[in-house]
Amino acid sequence: MAKKKIDVKIYSYGEYETWDRNSKEIPKLKSITPTVQAELGTEFGYVLHIKKAKGLLLRFCIDHPPFGDENGQTMAPFVGELYINTNDYRFFLGDCIWAPLEDKMGAWKLSTWIDDQLVAEKTLQLVAQ
């Protein structure tokens, strides 16, 4: 039997309102843009609209400019995974800018896979105001 075709679209990308990470709600879009003016607290990323993928494993990666953790060690890209729990699913992948601003500037590459297939990728540039 043929595998069903997953339908994935980048619904929006750029700068968003502050996101409540404990909520199931997707943050509200402020501006569609590949270039984000960085200031403390700025939320950025993309929203995917995913159909026909219930029960499949979604993996994600945020590859960021090199910056150090509290011990001065260069932080690895942020990665994670989750199972898609509905056939009409919205997924926000992003981050919020924290101090110091200077080491967060540059390209942030966001990538998402479903069942080991790359389904979305976007690079956002964080720039000084």
Side-chain angles (χ1 to χ4, degrees):
M1 187 156 123
K3 231 178 174 182
K4 61 184 174 184
K5 175 135 173 55
I6 300 167
D7 182 15
V8 180
K9 292 184 176 116
I10 295 180
Y11 180 77
S12 61
Y13 61 89
E15 186 178 346
Y16 293 83
E17 300 277 327
T18 302
W19 183 42
D20 177 359
R21 283 155 173 70
N22 296 318
S23 171
K24 292 184 180 187
E25 296 298 315
I26 296 295
K28 291 187 188 322
L29 179 67
K30 287 176 80 173
S31 174
I32 290 182
T33 180
T35 305
V36 176
Q37 301 289 318
E39 64 180 80
L40 292 179
T42 299
E43 192 86 43
F44 63 96
Y46 64 52
V47 173
L48 299 181
H49 188 189
I50 304 168
K51 293 183 179 181
K52 303 175 190 169
K54 183 177 179 180
L56 299 181
L57 180 65
L58 179 147
R59 291 184 305 112
F60 58 87
C61 177
I62 301 175
D63 194 3
H64 50 73
F67 54 81
D69 64 13
E70 61 275 354
N71 299 319
Q73 299 295 318
T74 300
M75 292 189 67
F78 305 130
V79 296
E81 60 184 34
L82 58 88
Y83 283 95
I84 299 168
N85 61 9
T86 181
N87 273 323
D88 191 3
Y89 190 71
R90 290 193 179 8
F91 172 69
F92 175 70
L93 178 60
D95 210 335
C96 179
I97 302 171
W98 66 97
L101 284 175
E102 299 75 31
D103 63 1
K104 310 306 181 301
M105 301 300 146
W108 288 65
K109 182 178 175 185
L110 289 69
S111 306
T112 304
W113 295 263
I114 297 176
D115 275 0
D116 295 324
Q117 175 186 352
L118 181 66
V119 295
E121 191 171 63
K122 190 79 175 166
T123 299
L124 301 175
Q125 292 289 331
L126 268 58
V127 297
Q129 289 194 350

